[in-house]
Amino acid sequence: RFALVRGLGDVYKRQLTVKYNVTAYPTYVIIWPDGKIDSRIVAHSSPTVFIEKMQTGLERIGAGPQP
């Protein structure tokens, strides 16, 4: 699942910001189904670095590309 924090109500945004320690925008957090943080990508990075980090994190939690 993916959550777009920008599109959510203010109270829910604050709760997620505190829960996942978001200190800069954009912040992408890859979370295990049990709620544990696997990895995070903070602020802007090059497209190549962003894609590599997202693929690695999603593969670790079993949400990577399926054959």
Side-chain angles (χ1 to χ4, degrees):
R1 288 191 282 175
F2 293 89
L4 176 62
V5 175
R6 178 181 53 183
L8 302 174
D10 288 339
V11 172
Y12 192 58
K13 275 197 283 191
R14 279 194 295 273
Q15 289 173 345
L16 288 176
T17 299
V18 170
K19 182 176 182 175
Y20 296 112
N21 193 30
V22 175
T23 58
Y25 294 98
T27 296
Y28 301 89
V29 182
I30 299 173
I31 305 165
W32 285 89
D34 66 3
K36 293 179 186 172
I37 294 175
D38 176 81
S39 56
R40 68 175 65 237
I41 304 166
V42 180
H44 295 284
S45 59
S46 73
T48 303
V49 170
F50 177 80
I51 290 169
E52 287 174 2
K53 287 183 177 183
M54 286 296 286
Q55 285 177 333
T56 300
L58 292 173
E59 287 169 2
R60 273 199 303 265
I61 66 169
Q66 304 299 315

